[in-house]
């Protein structure tokens, strides 16, 4: 591993351990690519965590780099505070309307493992409601001056994916709310959502009554999130799980997790997240987890190879996503079928095309040939790239 991503992981481990290294300058070699280091920080979503480390490194850190991580540190803190305050406003509005709602992903974690040191990079507020409450939930959000944001896509696309996005712009600040009413369009995953509501708990934080998902269902959400198109090798979700394991290790119900993973057909997804966390942060998991989740030794080996292959994808996010995509499902047929039957909007996003342009529609309707062409082109570029 190059020293730049290695140092990024050292920073993350220091955050997990709750004590930043006192003499981090010793870990920085003379020939260190600071621009690559910046790219690694942003790619893995932990730019804010670097400042407490580099601030102790004295003259070994360039002034512009120190200014960059300091800016990331305070921006992350401020953004987290803004999102949390906004979520409290939303939660109170849902309480007044008597609509059950739970936070997902970053906001749910901000209520727990990141509460004392909110340095997790977040863009928006994700919340989940029951399908029967969708119309009422939309009215509540719009009453807070949010408007539906279709992001240039047809409304049918968002409804087909059980998600609506809302945006509010005020005083040079933009807030985003993603309203979910299911985990996924896939039927097996729909089976695990009722248990989430049954296991959720109501607590009081900052004088606001909040319904939180169980820690096991938070882990399920992190596992499923790996299937979305984004930064597939980002250490943000493994870091989340490492912190969860540190705080709740002896309290996690692995029998429930295993049963839910099988019911939702996400055993490979859950195992890959745990394996990434174990490899990157030396986090301990049940020794029989692979057997519990019915992951073969050969699939384990392929997953482990990918963990280290894409720590900082030099071949682009697309290739890293494709490499991981075929490891995140419990069979071979489903990921292949999903590539073939990909919605036009996701096809356009993946290849950076305009969603409804004539050329996009033409390429979409001939997508098997186009996907093969792009794959061969990327492989040729990889072979011909100077080493």
């Amino acid at each position: 591993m190059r020293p730049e991503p290695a140092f990024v992981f050292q920073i993350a481990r220091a955050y997990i351990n709750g004590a930043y290294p006192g003499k981090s300058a010793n870990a920085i070699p003379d020939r260190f690519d600071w621009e690559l280091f910046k790219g690694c920080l942003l790619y893995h979503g932990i730019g804010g965590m670097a400042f407490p480390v580099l601030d102790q490194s004295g003259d070994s850190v360039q002034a512009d780099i120190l200014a960059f991580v300091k800016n990331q540190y305070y921006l992350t803190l401020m953004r987290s505070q803004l999102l949390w305050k906004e979520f409290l406003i939303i939660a109170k509005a849902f309480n007044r309307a008597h609509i059950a709602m739970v936070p997902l992903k970053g906001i749910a974690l901000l209520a727990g493992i990141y509460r004392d040191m909110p340095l997790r990079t977040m863009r928006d507020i994700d919340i989940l409601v029951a399908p029967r409450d969708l119309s009422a939930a939309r009215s509540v959000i719009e009453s807070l001056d949010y408007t539906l944001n279709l992001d240039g896509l047809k409304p049918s696309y968002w409804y087909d994916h059980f998600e609506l996005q809302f945006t509010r712009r005020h005083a040079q600040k933009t807030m985003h709310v993603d309203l979910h009413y299911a985990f996924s369009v896939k039927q097996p995953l729909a089976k695990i959502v009722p248990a989430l509501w049954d296991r959720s708990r109501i607590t009081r934080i900052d004088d606001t009554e909040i319904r939180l998902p169980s820690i096991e269902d938070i882990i399920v959400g992190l596992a499923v999130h790996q299937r979305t198109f984004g930064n597939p090798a980002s250490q943000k979700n493994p870091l989340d799980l490492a912190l969860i394991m540190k705080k709740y290790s002896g309290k996690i119900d692995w029998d429930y997790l295993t049963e839910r993973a099988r019911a939702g057909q996400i055993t490979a997804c859950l195992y890959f997240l745990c394996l990434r966390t174990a490899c990157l942060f030396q986090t301990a998991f049940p020794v029989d987890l692979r057997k519990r989740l019915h992951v073969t030794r050969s699939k384990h080996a392929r997953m482990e190879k990918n963990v280290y292959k894409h720590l900082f994808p030099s071949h682009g996010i697309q290739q890293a996503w494709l490499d991981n995509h075929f490891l995140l499902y419990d069979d071979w047929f489903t990921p292949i079928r999903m590539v073939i039957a990909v919605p036009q909007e996701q096809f356009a996003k993946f290849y950076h095309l305009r969603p409804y342009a004539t050329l996009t529609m033409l390429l979409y309707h001939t997508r098997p040939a186009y996907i093969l062409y792009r794959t061969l082109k990327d492989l040729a570029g990889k072979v011909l790239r100077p080493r």
Side-chain angles (χ1 to χ4, degrees):
M1 188 190 302
R2 288 187 56 117
E4 296 82 10
F7 192 40
V8 169
F9 286 108
Q10 179 186 335
I11 291 170
R13 292 186 192 109
Y15 184 89
I16 293 169
N17 295 331
Y20 291 113
K23 296 182 179 180
S24 56
N26 295 338
I28 305 174
D30 294 333
R31 301 181 66 178
F32 193 81
D33 188 336
W34 285 105
E35 288 303 313
L36 177 58
F37 173 73
K38 282 173 59 177
C40 288
L41 285 177
L42 294 175
Y43 180 82
H44 290 296
I46 63 166
M49 297 179 187
F51 177 62
V53 176
L54 297 185
D55 193 37
Q56 304 175 43
S57 301
D59 297 334
S60 64
V61 181
Q62 299 174 9
D64 61 321
I65 297 296
L66 191 60
F68 166 77
V69 295
K70 183 178 182 179
N71 184 57
Q72 290 290 309
Y73 176 79
Y74 286 108
L75 280 177
T76 304
L77 285 176
M78 288 190 295
R79 184 66 178 172
S80 296
Q81 291 174 348
L82 279 173
L83 288 172
W84 180 250
K85 289 180 180 178
E86 186 66 19
F87 170 70
L88 293 178
I89 293 172
I90 294 171
K92 289 174 181 176
F94 272 80
N95 290 342
R96 289 193 296 270
H98 304 289
I99 301 173
M101 173 270 287
V102 296
L104 299 175
K105 296 188 288 189
I107 288 294
L109 295 169
L110 202 57
I113 57 175
Y114 288 101
R115 187 133 179 85
D116 295 332
M117 185 65 77
L119 291 177
R120 186 187 193 272
T121 303
M122 293 192 296
R123 174 184 174 272
D124 49 26
I125 297 170
D126 290 272
I127 59 176
L128 175 72
V129 298
R132 64 177 180 275
D133 292 328
L134 176 62
S135 178
R138 176 176 175 175
S139 297
V140 169
I141 294 174
E142 290 177 335
S143 73
L144 298 174
D145 295 329
Y146 282 88
T147 57
L148 183 65
N149 178 17
L150 299 177
D151 201 22
L153 305 179
K154 296 178 180 178
S156 59
Y157 171 81
W158 296 108
Y159 283 103
D160 287 346
H161 287 75
F162 298 106
E163 176 186 352
L164 295 177
Q165 295 186 346
F166 297 86
T167 302
R168 189 187 70 199
R169 294 178 176 85
H170 178 68
Q172 297 182 334
K173 296 175 184 176
T174 301
M175 304 297 291
H176 303 277
V177 174
D178 287 358
L179 174 63
H180 304 262
Y181 51 107
F183 265 162
S184 169
V185 296
K186 295 300 164 191
Q187 189 61 32
L189 269 176
K191 296 177 182 178
I192 69 177
V193 175
L196 180 150
W197 291 106
D198 294 340
R199 290 171 59 89
S200 64
R201 68 191 191 280
I202 297 177
T203 186
R204 196 166 189 84
I205 304 176
D206 294 339
D207 294 324
T208 305
E209 195 173 84
I210 299 171
R211 181 184 294 271
L212 292 174
S214 71
I215 200 64
E216 292 84 6
D217 289 308
I218 289 177
I219 294 173
V220 168
L222 294 176
V224 173
H225 189 253
Q226 294 176 112
R227 291 179 176 176
T228 61
F229 179 66
N231 289 354
S234 170
Q235 66 168 281
K236 191 157 66 171
N237 288 157
L239 176 59
D240 294 338
L241 183 53
L243 289 166
I244 288 172
M245 291 298 295
K246 181 184 177 184
K247 184 171 183 178
Y248 302 103
S249 180
K251 302 176 182 178
I252 295 174
D253 187 342
W254 286 100
D255 290 334
Y256 170 81
L257 264 175
T258 301
E259 189 273 328
R260 292 291 85 192
R262 290 175 182 169
Q265 296 181 14
I266 57 167
T267 57
C269 224
L270 176 59
Y271 186 74
F272 193 30
L273 175 63
C274 294
L275 180 62
R276 293 172 65 198
T277 307
C279 290
L280 299 176
F281 304 117
Q282 289 79 55
T283 302
F285 291 93
V287 293
D288 62 342
L289 185 61
R290 183 181 66 80
K291 292 182 179 179
R292 280 196 194 192
L293 296 176
H294 299 159
V295 175
T296 64
R297 290 182 182 274
S298 60
K299 192 163 189 175
H300 166 95
R302 292 194 300 273
M303 286 180 173
E304 189 171 29
K305 180 181 179 181
N306 265 27
V307 170
Y308 295 108
K309 179 181 178 182
H310 295 300
L311 288 179
F312 187 69
S314 57
H315 306 140
I317 288 175
Q318 292 170 325
Q319 186 59 49
W321 183 87
L322 279 173
D323 285 351
N324 284 352
H325 174 70
F326 292 95
L327 296 173
L328 292 172
Y329 292 86
D330 295 357
D331 57 60
W332 283 104
F333 175 73
T334 301
I336 293 173
R337 178 171 55 82
M338 291 186 68
V339 169
I340 295 174
V342 62
Q344 181 174 317
E345 293 85 353
Q346 290 185 356
F347 173 83
K349 180 179 180 180
F350 189 79
Y351 289 114
H352 305 293
L353 302 169
R354 292 164 54 197
Y356 304 111
T358 302
L359 176 61
T360 302
M361 288 190 286
L362 176 63
L363 294 175
Y364 178 71
H365 288 298
T366 58
R367 59 189 176 280
Y370 185 71
I371 291 171
L372 178 61
Y373 161 72
R374 288 296 299 262
T375 302
L376 292 175
K377 182 181 177 182
D378 291 342
L379 287 173
K382 189 186 303 184
V383 171
L384 297 175
R385 184 182 293 113
R387 295 183 180 275

